[in-house]
Amino acid sequence: MAIDSQLLEMLKQAAKDVSKNAYCRYSEFPVGAAVCGGSGKIYTGCNVENVSFGLTMCAERSAIFSAIAAGEKSIQAVVIFTPTESLTPPCGACRQVISEFGDEVQIVSFSNLKSSEPQSIQELLPSAFGTLNHSE
């Protein structure tokens, strides 16, 4: 499933806007994410760091958890913004969380200078651990 160009632009703007709210006093690396839920509604999130680094929350998971808390049951797309020259795709933990919502979730990373083509989570995380990948 390809992301409609108008929706992609809305997601990019939302991700860029929310990156300004990031709490990143340790890394000084603000990240913003926008998620399109199955309903078509957009949810945002930013990274929130903690001195105990394991307690840090990535922007992507923050946005996804907001969507789920609002009642979404599926995710269509995740767009990630970093105010850098290079692209920063989702970390492994975020990829695993995204994969929970299906193989067809589209992901786009963009920065001040570049934008990735939409990729499915299956492309970014092949053979993901999931309910279909283990015995009960």
Side-chain angles (χ1 to χ4, degrees):
M1 169 189 90
I3 304 172
D4 170 85
S5 62
Q6 184 177 1
L7 174 59
L8 179 57
E9 288 309 311
M10 289 173 26
L11 289 165
K12 282 183 169 184
Q13 189 61 55
K16 189 172 188 177
D17 289 347
V18 77
S19 73
K20 297 172 185 151
N21 298 334
Y23 181 79
C24 53
R25 64 185 280 188
Y26 305 103
S27 71
E28 297 182 16
F29 189 73
V31 181
V35 167
C36 180
S39 69
K41 188 172 177 187
I42 295 173
Y43 303 87
T44 61
C46 59
N47 55 319
V48 179
E49 296 178 349
N50 187 278
V51 68
S52 176
F53 293 126
L55 300 178
T56 293
M57 179 59 61
C58 296
E60 299 91 317
R61 286 181 284 149
S62 176
I64 290 168
F65 297 163
S66 291
I68 299 308
E72 295 286 350
K73 301 296 183 214
S74 63
I75 302 296
Q76 295 181 45
V78 179
V79 173
I80 304 108
F81 172 74
T82 53
T84 57
E85 292 183 17
S86 60
L87 300 175
T88 305
C91 73
C94 289
R95 290 178 192 203
Q96 184 63 46
V97 169
I98 294 166
S99 76
E100 181 73 19
F101 299 97
D103 291 342
E104 299 304 315
V105 178
Q106 295 292 294
I107 299 154
V108 173
S109 299
F110 77 107
S111 66
N112 288 331
L113 300 178
K114 300 176 184 174
S115 183
S116 70
E117 291 297 317
Q119 294 179 285
S120 71
I121 188 59
Q122 193 170 22
E123 291 172 297
L124 288 177
L125 188 64
S127 303
F129 176 79
T131 56
L132 299 177
N133 298 13
H134 63 81
S135 312
E136 296 190 19

